Amino acid sequence: MVSADIARTVVGVIGNVISFFLFLSPVPTFVQICKKKSVEQYSAAPYLATLVNCMVWTLYGLPMVHPHSLLVVTINGTGIAIEVIYVILFLIYSDKKKRLKMLVVVLIEIVLIALLTLLALTTLHSVNKRSTVVGTICILFNIMMYASPLTVMKLVITTKSVEYMPFFLSFASFANGVAWTSYALIRFDPFITIPNGLGTIFGLAQLLLYATFYKSTQRQLAARRAKGGDADLSEVVVNTNSRVSNKLGTASAPAPAQINGKGRTSVVHGAA
């Protein structure tokens, strides 16, 4: 019979794989940015938020804070590297004013994480106290990110169209939440269970909306094709400035989503 530790490891590895691909979901957006050499109307908020989210979850997974959470560290450490690349590209292709604002935000994030790390390791003298304090902060960060899927879901209901909520991203978000919630329940960890349980619910809600409005979406697309026009709500840009992933702590709640001028949704996830 498979032991709980082996089952937890297997589920955690699956969660790492799903989360990794979710972290890569904005790549098409950055390909466009690099080609045009401009960030245009895209917002850096989702990437800055996911970056700090990954940093705090990486801290949570360290042995001196929350032992036996290596898989939380691996995926969020990977997330940090990926988000740093996104932020650097944003800095390269932003104007001076936007670049300065981003640098200030990044500096604040680094200082906050450094202070949290210092305080956790020097003033809290047991792993239980450290995991409780850092885990609570992780949950708060994830909750602040829940505004993004709500924004996208509201748009779907308003337009009766899932054109801006790609099925595979919604499904991956749901699968990510299920994987990390399962991981947290095998050896109960409330700090990973709560945000990922909510992430699972939001993912399921998106899938239900997709099923509900799929046919009406096809009718709208057919009507536009018949009129020979492409103009529609894809010109709307929704920038979620909330936050502060999929992720994670292992799998964290969905990060901010952004609907770009092409009508596609870029979703950044934290892990844990």
Side-chain angles (χ1 to χ4, degrees), residues 95-168:
D95 57 47
K96 183 179 294 185
K97 183 177 180 180
K98 184 176 292 186
R99 186 179 299 126
L100 179 60
K101 288 182 178 180
M102 286 184 63
L103 288 173
V104 170
V105 172
V106 170
L107 179 60
I108 291 174
E109 290 182 349
I110 293 175
V111 171
L112 287 176
I113 296 301
L115 287 175
L116 177 60
T117 302
L118 180 64
L119 292 174
L121 298 181
T122 60
T123 64
L124 303 175
H125 303 297
S126 72
V127 292
N128 286 335
K129 290 181 179 179
R130 291 169 185 167
S131 61
T132 297
V133 172
V134 177
T136 299
I137 293 174
C138 288
I139 290 177
L140 293 176
F141 278 8
N142 279 159
I143 289 177
M144 286 191 289
M145 286 167 36
Y146 287 138
S148 61
L150 288 176
T151 299
V152 176
M153 291 163 68
K154 179 181 178 181
L155 182 65
V156 170
I157 295 173
T158 301
T159 63
K160 299 186 185 306
S161 171
V162 294
E163 184 178 357
Y164 316 103
M165 190 176 71
F167 172 78
F168 288 108

Side-chain angles (χ1 to χ4, degrees), residues 143 146-147 149-150 153 165 170 173-174 195-209 253-254:
I143 289 177
Y146 287 138
L150 288 176
M153 291 163 68
M165 190 176 71
S170 296
S173 297
F174 173 70
N196 287 285
L198 290 174
T200 300
I201 293 173
F202 278 112
L204 178 60
Q206 289 182 44
L207 293 177
L208 291 174
L209 282 178

Side-chain angles (χ1 to χ4, degrees), residues 17 22 30 38 55 71 86 102 108 131 153:
V17 173
L22 283 173
F30 282 92
S38 172
M55 288 193 289
L71 291 172
Y86 292 157
M102 286 184 63
I108 291 174
S131 61
M153 291 163 68

Side-chain angles (χ1 to χ4, degrees), residues 30-87:
F30 282 92
V31 169
Q32 291 183 38
I33 288 175
C34 291
K35 286 182 177 178
K36 296 181 179 179
K37 299 185 183 303
S38 172
V39 298
E40 298 181 309
Q41 298 183 52
Y42 290 107
S43 171
Y47 313 106
L48 292 169
T50 303
L51 175 61
V52 72
N53 194 50
C54 287
M55 288 193 289
V56 73
W57 275 113
T58 298
L59 173 61
Y60 176 81
L62 294 177
M64 65 284 292
V65 176
H66 195 77
H68 311 296
S69 299
L70 176 62
L71 291 172
V72 174
V73 176
T74 55
I75 187 56
N76 285 287
T78 300
I80 290 174
I82 293 174
E83 297 306 319
V84 166
I85 293 174
Y86 292 157
V87 170

